[in-house]
Amino acid sequence: MQGVKDRNPHQDEFVQAVGEVAEDIYEWIQDRSDYHNAQILQRIAEPDRIISFRVVWEDDDKHLQVQRGWRVQNNNAIGPYKGGLRFSSGVNESVLKFLAFEQTFKNSLTGLPMGGGKGGSDFDPHGKSDAEIMRFCQSFMTELYRHIGPDVDVPAGDIGVGSREIGYLFGQYKRITGRWEGVLTGKEMPYGGSRMRPEATGFGAVYFLREMLAAQDEELKGKSVILSGSGNVALYAAQKLIDCEAKVLSLSDSDGTIEIEDGLTGDQLDWIQTLKFEQRGRISEAADEFDDITYHEGKQPWQMDADVAMPCATQNEIDEGAAKALTGNDIAYVVEGANMPTTADAMDVFRAKGVTVAPAKAANAGGVAVSGLEMSQNAERMHWDREKLDDLLTEIMTDIHDKCRKAGECDDGSVDYRRGANIAGFEKVADAMLAYGVM
Ligand code: GLU
């Protein structure tokens, strides 16, 4: 780890992500001299390449804006690089390197042939007009197109990149190359998207939770859940939780949290989905609309009392203080819908208190899994129906759960899902790398 720290100065998120994997696989890897001799972990922790480029676009006032874009191609041992694009002012090389590293393990866990990558820009889509977003996306793709391809690297959405942005990006790729091909996932249905892709990350996280509970002879029905975030992941997780008769007590955005004391109803969720997906509104507006919803400005939901916490907003949103508040309220399960939402200190608190944590690379793998199925549908020029896709998603999440459980079993019979996910995700990539020899 000292080597990783020295080679990646000021890249805290990346060092944190690598440190977590190193800590979890250290003991297990001791008996695997082949992995050791081939320096597999050290090689996975050095991206295959990082492409960084200038993105210039003109705003509505005719001013030129200069932004930076990246694609981190971390590892393609088991399939083409695959992972989202994030547009947000907080994006930098460290954040994208950590996300590409995590994606490598996550994609491996899905069992589908996908390597790990991530990209994005420090461009913040909030408050920009449609025309500005289009010009930015076209400029971004004008450089990115030469580095991607359906068998090379297949980007998708992430924070700040939804179906609107994917449409502009895909259109520009098609215009430049003259090729209609499955080079992006998260597309809309008329041009090669997959049913169930928007729902997949949130639904998949709830399927994982359901498996985790079943393994302890518990059920989701009647459980209370505090959720953060109000993007795709949070709002579709909320939908599936309500379907399973669990109680959704909160949602949030970067300005604050809404609290729903008696649990969110399906009608309220419909209203919030329209607000967020179509009107691009703020979560506080739900409290103006419904009497039983209270808004807490500037607050996160972690002080609230519940059985399960699902952080679905962004990295490091649960710090040590939040973890102490949650364990003080006897939270039993944490399901990471966002990527690396728990700081290392917070994770120590959960481990010490015996909280069962479903790590992001397992719990939120449903999104990229259905992206993998979108690639298959594009390759065979077919659309599959919802039922088939939901069955496949359920199967994949159950399989990920079982793999993590098996690899994460502790001597006392308890399960460390984080360790299990890291070991099971690592093994497949490592075996492929071993097969290729030194490169
Ligand atoms: N951005 C999502 C993730 O973190 C999805 C990536 C994809 O579909 O390629 O897994």
Side-chain angles (χ1 to χ4, degrees), residues 159-223:
I159 294 172
V161 179
S163 57
R164 172 182 56 169
E165 290 74 19
I166 293 290
Y168 293 142
L169 292 162
F170 187 76
Q172 184 71 353
Y173 179 88
K174 186 172 69 60
R175 172 158 78 172
I176 296 174
T177 62
R179 298 173 73 89
W180 193 111
E181 54 192 4
V183 71
L184 296 176
T185 62
K187 303 185 290 299
E188 286 188 327
M189 284 305 292
Y191 59 96
S194 173
R195 295 190 174 88
M196 287 296 296
R197 177 62 189 89
E199 297 89 338
T201 315
F203 280 20
V206 177
Y207 295 158
F208 193 95
L209 169 63
R210 203 167 57 186
E211 289 303 310
M212 214 159 73
L213 290 168
Q216 313 246 19
D217 290 324
E218 288 193 56
E219 59 172 14
L220 194 45
K221 188 175 169 181
K223 290 270 181 305

Side-chain angles (χ1 to χ4, degrees), residues 72-107:
V72 179
Q73 297 180 330
N74 193 70
N75 188 293
N76 67 351
I78 61 168
Y81 303 106
K82 178 85 196 88
L85 296 170
R86 179 176 290 193
F87 292 169
S88 154
S89 49
V91 163
N92 56 44
E93 203 173 292
S94 169
V95 168
L96 295 178
K97 275 171 72 178
F98 115 67
L99 288 164
F101 177 80
E102 292 275 298
Q103 197 83 42
T104 304
F105 297 85
K106 183 194 314 195
N107 294 2

Side-chain angles (χ1 to χ4, degrees), residues 140-149 172-173 176-177 183:
F140 184 86
M141 184 52 87
T142 301
E143 173 61 31
L144 185 69
Y145 88 94
R146 69 190 78 239
H147 307 291
I148 61 177
Q172 184 71 353
Y173 179 88
I176 296 174
T177 62
V183 71

Side-chain angles (χ1 to χ4, degrees), residues 82-84 103 106 118 156-158 185 197 339 364 367-368 371:
K82 178 85 196 88
Q103 197 83 42
K106 183 194 314 195
K118 202 88 182 190
D158 196 80
T185 62
R197 177 62 189 89
N339 289 313
N364 79 22
V368 75
S371 274

